[in-house]
Amino acid sequence: MLLLILLLPLSTKAQNWPSFRGPNASGVAEGTKPPVTWDVEKSQNVIWKTSIPGLSHASPIVWGNRIYVITAIPGDTKVSFSAKDTGIGLANDDVKHTWRIYAIDKQTGRVIWDKTAYEGVPRAKRHVKATQANSTPVTDGRYVVALFGSEGLAAYDTDGKLLWKQDLGVLNPGLWDDKQSSWGHASSPIIYRDLVIVQADGHNQSYIAAFNLKDGKQAWRVDRNEITSWTDRKSTRLNSSHDQ
């Protein structure tokens, strides 16, 4: 299965979209008037499309002339995702996966670089309608940080050089009263000043933590003594009053 990244004409304007739901996590692109209809097959209102292997629910992000996105590539073509799957069962992902991050030219769709962040059998299961790459990456134009669920947090520079990695443990949220239930981690990281902040949920641990962008060292961590849940692809918005 392939993830298609589509670029609409008016989105070529120089506006950064650095994280899930864009600036201020508002989901609003100020000053733009994008098309309200498009057709991939007929290339209507589509400048280019680039095929990315694997399964991913992560949104692409944009900084300058680059788009960044992550994916998880199963080693068996039988591993799949279908929006028509029913129920809340677990997918069978007991095969080697490769987690990758891609940098793509915004104007042409050319892959500038792609890097492997992790390889192995997933440490946590996923919902049949989820993937092993649900979290949207984040950038501030200097660092590109991606959360690969139970496979860790990784920071790169804009040329694709790996700067540091952090193992966040097994992130396996699911039904709170069934520890065998695991729907896959999905909360997206954010960048605030010189920190990257993550929400991590799991049956055995749930916490919020901040790591220094420069070296990946943990700045602080707050354990959350709460029931676990599927964490969705939500960014935490820091209120400006924190600066006062």
Side-chain angles (χ1 to χ4, degrees):
M1 184 178 292
L2 300 177
L3 169 68
L4 298 181
I5 299 178
L6 309 179
L7 189 65
L8 302 180
L10 290 179
S11 65
T12 59
K13 292 183 178 180
Q15 181 177 24
N16 295 325
W17 196 263
S19 58
F20 180 61
R21 292 181 56 81
N24 300 315
S26 66
V28 176
E30 298 288 350
T32 62
K33 295 181 179 179
V36 295
T37 61
W38 60 89
D39 189 311
V40 177
E41 298 298 327
K42 297 180 180 178
S43 295
Q44 177 188 5
N45 287 326
V46 177
I47 290 183
W48 54 259
K49 56 184 179 181
T50 298
S51 297
I52 303 295
L55 305 175
S56 177
H57 279 173
S59 300
I61 59 171
V62 181
W63 191 280
N65 194 46
R66 292 190 178 184
I67 295 174
Y68 302 97
V69 71
I70 69 169
T71 184
I73 308 167
D76 188 337
T77 57
K78 294 180 181 180
V79 175
S80 63
F81 159 84
S82 174
K84 295 183 179 180
D85 284 338
T86 59
I88 57 173
L90 305 182
N92 183 10
D93 281 350
D94 293 334
V95 298
K96 179 182 176 180
H97 282 57
T98 301
W99 283 261
R100 298 187 72 84
I101 180 170
Y102 286 76
I104 298 168
D105 187 288
K106 187 176 72 172
Q107 304 295 331
T108 66
R110 176 180 64 89
V111 175
I112 299 172
W113 54 258
D114 66 287
K115 301 294 181 179
T116 296
Y118 188 90
E119 288 185 299
V121 176
R123 298 169 70 188
K125 299 288 187 180
R126 66 173 170 92
H127 192 289
V128 290
K129 290 188 178 182
T131 74
Q132 290 288 350
N134 301 311
S135 302
T136 297
V138 63
T139 184
D140 63 353
R142 302 172 301 157
Y143 301 88
V144 182
V145 184
L147 176 52
F148 298 93
S150 298
E151 281 59 53
L153 182 71
Y156 299 83
D157 66 16
T158 55
D159 292 324
K161 178 183 177 181
L162 177 65
L163 301 176
W164 54 262
K165 294 182 71 173
Q166 277 283 357
D167 185 348
L168 304 184
V170 176
L171 309 180
N172 59 347
L175 289 171
W176 69 272
D177 59 350
D178 181 4
K179 291 190 176 182
Q180 301 304 312
S181 172
S182 176
W183 293 340
H185 183 78
S187 181
S188 301
I190 64 169
I191 288 176
Y192 180 69
R193 294 184 175 178
D194 291 323
L195 299 174
V196 57
I197 302 172
V198 297
Q199 173 185 317
D201 269 17
H203 285 293
N204 295 323
Q205 58 173 357
S206 292
Y207 60 91
I208 297 175
F211 300 90
N212 294 317
L213 277 171
K214 183 178 180 179
D215 55 19
K217 292 182 179 179
Q218 182 173 291
W220 53 259
R221 168 172 166 159
V222 177
D223 291 330
R224 297 166 50 237
N225 187 23
E226 302 169 340
I227 63 173
T228 185
S229 178
W230 197 73
T231 50
D232 206 347
R233 288 172 291 163
K234 296 179 180 177
S235 296
T236 303
R237 182 177 179 181
L238 291 179
N239 195 311
S240 59
S241 63
H242 290 183
D243 300 336
Q244 299 175 0

